[in-house]
Amino acid sequence: MKYIDLRSDTVTKPSQQMRKAMFEAEVGDDVFKEDPTVNKLEKYAAELLGKEAALFVPSGVMGNQICLNVHTRPADEVICESDSHIFNYESGSPAALSGIQLLPINGTQGVFTPEQVEPFIRPKSAYYMPKTKVIEVENTHNRAGGTIHPIENILALKKLADKYGLKKHLDGARIWNASVETNISVAEYASHFDSISCCLSKGLGAPVGSIIAGDKDFITEAFRVRKSFGGGMRQVGILAAAGLYALENNRKRLKEDHQKARLLAETINKISNLKVDLKSVQTNIVIFETLKLSVDDALLKCKEKGLLLSVGRVGSLRAITHLDISDEDLNKSLKIIEEVFA
């Protein structure tokens, strides 16, 4: 059976044009900074993000963890939103790799305010407490349903962080989606943070890889930490070529994924046995509750009919649209959902 795969936008396959770029990529040893395709990707990504320098890393998790490691020392603390990726989906890496702890704050649709954050910033005189070092923001917010962090709140959080001398990190795994939807450039978003991590392997369609960016000193140290985390890569231009192709060709089309997700959510909203918050459907992620079937039963019944979904928050299902989902695939998905849940 051929499945329609809405589990994630990480399941995309390289297109023939992307494979051609990978096949023809000029390569060298990236540990010596001699891979011309990696160097080209990093230079282009830094320009897009408005930063002095960038670094190609194997995964989004490694990207986030390198950034947090560079900004902190063991026993420091990072403030994040309680549903954030670094808190829920990165295998306890802040503690394991950097000896730091996370302080999660409950936000609304993935967004916390300066008024919520400020009381949790540790007083510098309190030697018996961890030191607050970083405020971390996720945009778009995966577990909240692909919601976009309002730029006004980002500016307010930056002002708060600057007041207390804190670093600011942006988990921008899907920052490309936020930018396409709001018409705010990725450089504008990134300008309010000391570091940013963003994925090439989600909606942009590359098979692997992420970019981190910041000033030159930050990236120099990030390069060292990447090596210590086991992320030193050799002739990796073959993969960098896919990321470069993705950035050059697949950013604008993300709007199509958002339109498909909206249509999917509107169909779900009409089914009495399902519940979806349409206000949370802002990009390419749809999280919805099943009121009749259990999550496990729902996943199985959809799979039996050829549709793959994943688990969202506890007790919910998740569907993510991406470049490998055609209009025909979407229509079939809508029909299967109506058959299973109506």
Side-chain angles (χ1 to χ4, degrees):
M1 179 185 292
K2 181 180 181 297
Y3 292 104
I4 301 169
D5 198 342
L6 295 180
R7 290 174 299 170
S8 178
D9 45 8
T10 60
V11 302
T12 57
K13 304 294 195 302
S15 65
Q16 288 303 311
Q17 296 91 332
M18 184 179 285
R19 290 175 184 270
K20 183 174 185 292
M22 296 169 72
F23 179 78
E24 296 176 349
E26 185 180 0
V27 301
D29 193 322
D30 182 50
V31 172
F32 294 137
K33 300 306 293 178
E34 293 175 355
D35 190 302
T37 307
V38 174
N39 293 342
K40 185 177 180 181
L41 168 63
E42 291 174 347
K43 183 176 184 295
Y44 182 56
E47 291 170 354
L48 283 178
L49 294 164
K51 295 296 188 184
E52 289 182 348
L55 185 68
F56 183 47
V57 299
S59 71
V61 171
M62 183 178 283
N64 280 331
Q65 295 308 317
I66 289 173
C67 291
L68 295 182
N69 182 278
V70 174
H71 289 320
T72 62
R73 295 177 61 186
D76 286 344
E77 188 169 68
V78 174
I79 294 176
C80 62
E81 203 276 328
S82 60
D83 274 333
S84 65
H85 197 279
I86 65 167
F87 183 58
N88 291 281
Y89 300 129
E90 302 198 3
S91 305
S93 294
L97 298 177
S98 301
I100 58 178
Q101 69 181 35
L102 304 180
L103 195 162
I105 295 175
N106 294 329
T108 301
Q109 292 188 333
V111 176
F112 51 45
T113 65
E115 291 75 20
Q116 289 178 286
V117 171
E118 189 166 20
F120 290 96
I121 297 174
R122 310 285 187 173
K124 291 184 178 180
S125 60
Y127 64 88
Y128 44 84
M129 290 182 174
K131 291 182 179 179
T132 306
K133 279 295 182 69
V134 181
I135 296 176
E136 186 265 359
V137 168
E138 186 175 328
N139 193 21
T140 63
H141 196 292
N142 179 358
R143 215 173 188 201
T147 52
I148 299 169
H149 201 112
I151 191 68
E152 297 81 10
N153 196 65
I154 287 173
L155 291 169
L157 287 171
K158 178 181 184 295
K159 184 177 180 180
L160 177 69
D162 291 345
K163 175 182 175 181
Y164 287 93
L166 306 179
K167 295 294 186 179
K168 305 162 291 290
H169 173 63
L170 175 59
D171 177 358
R174 294 182 176 88
I175 194 63
W176 320 105
N177 295 84
S179 177
V180 164
E181 191 63 26
T182 62
N183 290 318
I184 298 171
S185 70
V186 290
E188 170 66 15
Y189 279 121
S191 69
H192 306 299
F193 296 87
D194 298 288
S195 59
I196 178 173
S197 173
C198 44
C199 287
L200 305 170
S201 58
K202 291 187 169 69
L204 295 184
V208 65
S210 286
I211 288 288
I212 60 175
D215 63 30
K216 290 181 179 178
D217 289 342
F218 172 84
I219 292 298
T220 296
E221 180 62 11
F223 181 70
R224 185 193 70 81
V225 175
R226 186 187 72 173
K227 179 68 172 178
S228 73
F229 284 1
M233 300 173 284
R234 300 296 178 176
Q235 289 73 29
V236 73
I238 293 170
L239 295 178
L244 189 59
Y245 181 91
L247 286 178
E248 291 176 338
N249 295 279
N250 291 344
R251 286 183 290 131
K252 291 182 179 179
R253 64 145 307 281
L254 290 171
K255 190 77 172 180
E256 299 173 24
D257 299 338
H258 301 176
Q259 292 166 349
K260 288 184 173 72
R262 188 70 190 181
L263 180 57
L264 179 62
E266 289 173 350
T267 298
I268 290 170
N269 192 51
K270 296 175 183 177
I271 299 174
S272 60
N273 292 319
L274 298 176
K275 182 180 178 182
V276 61
D277 179 6
L278 290 178
K279 290 186 292 185
S280 73
V281 184
Q282 300 173 16
T283 52
N284 68 323
I285 301 176
V286 182
I287 293 179
F288 58 101
E289 296 177 37
T290 169
L291 305 180
K292 187 175 181 180
L293 297 172
S294 70
V295 168
D296 289 342
D297 285 345
L299 291 173
L300 180 60
K301 289 181 180 298
C302 286
K303 183 177 182 179
E304 288 172 347
K305 291 181 176 292
L307 175 63
L308 300 179
L309 302 173
S310 58
V311 179
R313 295 181 298 272
V314 176
S316 66
L317 298 170
R318 187 182 75 167
I320 302 186
T321 52
H322 50 79
L323 57 77
D324 283 351
I325 298 300
S326 66
D327 289 336
E328 181 182 0
D329 290 332
L330 181 66
N331 289 332
K332 288 181 179 178
S333 300
L334 298 177
K335 183 178 179 181
I336 291 170
I337 288 172
E338 288 174 339
E339 289 174 353
V340 170
F341 296 105

